[in-house]
Amino acid sequence: MNGIRKGTLYTIQISEEWTGLTVENILSAKWRLPKKMIHAWRMEKAVLQDGKAADWRRPMKKNERLSFPFFQPGPFGAEPVYPAPAILYEDDHMLVADKPPGMKTHPNSPDEKDTLLNGVCYHVSLAGETLPVRHVHRLDEGTSGAVLFAKHEAAYAVLSRLLEQKEIFRTYYALADGKVAKKSGTITKPIGKDRYHSSRRRISSNGQTAVTHFKRIAVQNGKSLLECRLETGRTHQIRVHLSSIGHPIAGDTLYGGSRAFKRPMLHAAKLTIPHPFVNDCVTISAPAPAEIKMLLHSTFFE
């Protein structure tokens, strides 16, 4: 179901597939927006049908137009601060930014202003927008690659749900120490906090379920390049899981990795997102760092 933006409104034309649905059906069953948001829009008569307040209980006819108040101005998720990051994908509802290593995804205190979210908000502000831009997920400070941001509250609600329900696929490249024996495999070890180290995580029988799928792509100079796909999104998941099988990420000294690099060689390479408002699946790739790109194009493929 594609639509167009005009000002603060997002307007769709009812397709044959959605003929017979009510406004309530679309918001609750199709987009599954939060009840609080739906209730507010109903009370405010904010959803329009051909420019007039919509009848929420009337089944819609094909080609009728509905407008939703998606793009209400609101405070940015962080103070807009120059420079803007590289933007890998953007539309009216979401954007994907390329996070460089050594940068935090978002501020943890008011005085932090050099994070990816600050730069993304600056990018959006250049178009004269003031929208509640928020990160849908995050990457560790040392990890590079694709990060998804929502540009309005409805998008944030839907994208967060899709992530939680494992419908957004995240693919990473990890350069691990040693030769990983298996060409592919799945690590299903629960992860919990390390009681002796506040910033570490560990394998724990009482931890949260964590599932990482991996495929060995190349081996060179005592290192294995792995493609990893997350089924869950626990803190430090790939780092903890690879360390647990004896192949920590190179440069990840927190989890026993070698000092071959100044940061963990982990890269968020690809996001695959079933776009909730465009009726399509969007795949966005982030350019790999030079050290990983070299292996991707090497002759040491397995």
Side-chain angles (χ1 to χ4, degrees), residues 208-229:
Q208 294 177 298
T209 301
V211 181
T212 304
H213 305 281
F214 70 86
K215 180 172 66 175
R216 193 182 71 203
I217 297 177
V219 176
Q220 186 178 10
N221 299 329
K223 302 284 187 293
S224 298
L225 179 61
L226 306 177
E227 181 182 279
C228 301
R229 184 172 66 80

Side-chain angles (χ1 to χ4, degrees), residues 257-268:
S258 67
R259 297 182 179 274
F261 302 95
K262 293 182 179 180
R263 59 107 172 177
M265 291 305 296
L266 182 63
H267 176 69

Side-chain angles (χ1 to χ4, degrees), residues 7-229:
T8 62
L9 297 176
Y10 180 64
T11 301
I12 64 171
Q13 187 171 19
I14 299 299
S15 64
E16 186 171 345
E17 180 187 356
W18 283 20
T19 299
L21 296 179
T22 64
V23 172
E24 183 78 38
N25 293 150
I26 293 171
L27 298 179
S28 299
K30 289 296 182 181
W31 289 335
R32 297 172 63 183
L33 293 176
K35 291 180 180 179
K36 185 177 180 180
M37 181 181 293
I38 294 173
H39 177 72
W41 288 358
R42 186 198 295 269
M43 293 298 100
E44 295 164 4
K45 301 184 185 302
V47 178
L48 306 181
Q49 176 192 333
D50 295 328
K52 299 179 181 179
D55 182 344
W56 284 53
R57 294 172 294 180
R58 184 178 70 79
M60 301 301 298
K61 299 176 182 178
K62 185 179 179 182
N63 295 329
E64 284 190 298
R65 295 179 182 275
L66 283 177
S67 300
F68 303 94
F70 279 0
F71 308 104
Q72 298 297 322
F76 286 115
E79 180 181 340
V81 176
Y82 176 87
I87 304 300
L88 303 171
Y89 173 89
E90 183 174 14
D91 60 32
D92 288 330
H93 310 282
M94 66 184 192
L95 67 81
V96 176
D98 190 7
K99 188 182 90 65
M103 175 181 283
K104 292 183 178 180
T105 300
H106 60 88
N108 291 316
S109 63
D111 61 321
E112 285 187 324
K113 298 181 180 180
D114 56 354
T115 73
L116 186 65
L117 180 57
N118 293 109
V120 166
C121 290
Y122 174 77
H123 164 79
V124 174
S125 75
L126 292 177
E129 300 273 33
T130 305
L131 295 172
V133 178
R134 300 168 69 183
H135 60 284
V136 177
H137 67 111
R138 59 186 178 185
L139 298 178
D140 295 336
E141 186 173 348
T143 302
S144 58
V147 180
L148 174 63
F149 294 82
K151 295 175 67 177
H152 57 80
E153 292 292 354
Y156 179 77
V158 178
L159 292 169
S160 296
R161 175 178 56 78
L162 291 174
L163 187 71
E164 184 178 346
Q165 294 178 340
K166 307 172 187 177
E167 295 182 46
I168 294 177
F169 294 103
R170 290 169 288 171
T171 303
Y172 292 74
Y173 290 133
L175 188 59
D177 288 326
K179 180 177 179 178
V180 176
K182 292 183 177 180
K183 290 188 176 181
S184 63
T186 299
I187 306 171
T188 57
K189 299 178 181 181
I191 294 175
K193 292 184 178 180
D194 188 330
R195 70 180 71 176
Y196 303 109
H197 198 304
S198 60
S199 61
R200 278 175 55 99
R201 298 296 186 271
R202 65 184 181 90
I203 302 299
S204 170
S205 58
N206 297 320
Q208 294 177 298
T209 301
V211 181
T212 304
H213 305 281
F214 70 86
K215 180 172 66 175
R216 193 182 71 203
I217 297 177
V219 176
Q220 186 178 10
N221 299 329
K223 302 284 187 293
S224 298
L225 179 61
L226 306 177
E227 181 182 279
C228 301
R229 184 172 66 80

Side-chain angles (χ1 to χ4, degrees), residues 236-276:
H236 297 180
Q237 180 172 317
I238 296 176
R239 299 166 65 184
V240 174
H241 271 175
L242 292 183
S243 179
S244 76
I245 63 170
H247 296 283
I249 295 173
D252 190 4
T253 55
L254 184 62
Y255 291 102
S258 67
R259 297 182 179 274
F261 302 95
K262 293 182 179 180
R263 59 107 172 177
M265 291 305 296
L266 182 63
H267 176 69
K270 184 167 65 175
L271 285 170
T272 302
I273 306 162
H275 200 305

